[in-house]
Amino acid sequence: ALQTLSGPAQMQLAEELLESLEECIDSPHGNHVIQLSVERLPADFLSCVIVALEEKVLTTATHNFGCRVLQRLVESCRRESMLDQLEPLLEQVINEAVRLSQD
């Protein structure tokens, strides 16, 4: 459905997804919607997701589904030349790499 939506309809969907971002990330099904949205929606959506995850990036990185959303975000930001916006989140993850890698 994301592929067939027009620009304004995509942005409306993006706004609605952002309102329930945490709930979707926690969901075994909703996280797939967020992953697909990160892959397909405009860069404005990526920026909003980055901002929403700033305070929760370490929790997201260790979450069963959240880590997949973060992975898609890295892939999509690289493709969109937006890694500079993602850098603060990645720095948090790198700074806590030892702790995050322990069970």
Side-chain angles (χ1 to χ4, degrees):
L2 283 173
Q3 301 91 308
T4 62
L5 292 175
S6 65
Q10 280 184 339
M11 289 315 295
Q12 182 180 358
L13 175 63
E15 289 172 13
E16 292 175 19
L17 286 172
L18 288 169
E19 291 174 10
S20 58
L21 184 66
E22 283 185 62
E23 183 180 337
C24 287
I25 288 174
D26 287 342
S27 165
H29 305 292
N31 83 86
H32 292 287
V33 175
I34 300 300
Q35 287 182 59
L36 185 62
S37 300
V38 165
E39 291 176 349
R40 306 268 168 103
L41 290 178
D44 291 345
F45 179 74
L46 297 177
S47 295
C48 292
V49 172
I50 291 168
V51 169
L53 292 180
E54 282 178 350
E55 300 295 321
K56 307 170 195 71
V57 70
L58 297 178
T59 303
T60 303
T62 58
H63 189 274
N64 287 343
F65 311 129
C67 63
R68 297 176 192 155
V69 171
L70 193 56
Q71 179 182 352
R72 296 296 166 264
L73 198 56
V74 170
E75 293 167 354
S76 296
C77 285
R78 193 177 106 203
R79 184 185 68 245
E80 296 289 332
S81 300
M82 295 177 60
L83 285 176
D84 57 323
Q85 290 183 3
L86 191 60
E87 189 174 341
L89 270 68
L90 296 177
E91 284 179 4
Q92 288 183 56
V93 172
I94 291 167
N95 289 339
E96 295 293 329
V98 172
R99 186 175 67 84
L100 291 172
S101 65
Q102 297 173 348
D103 202 15

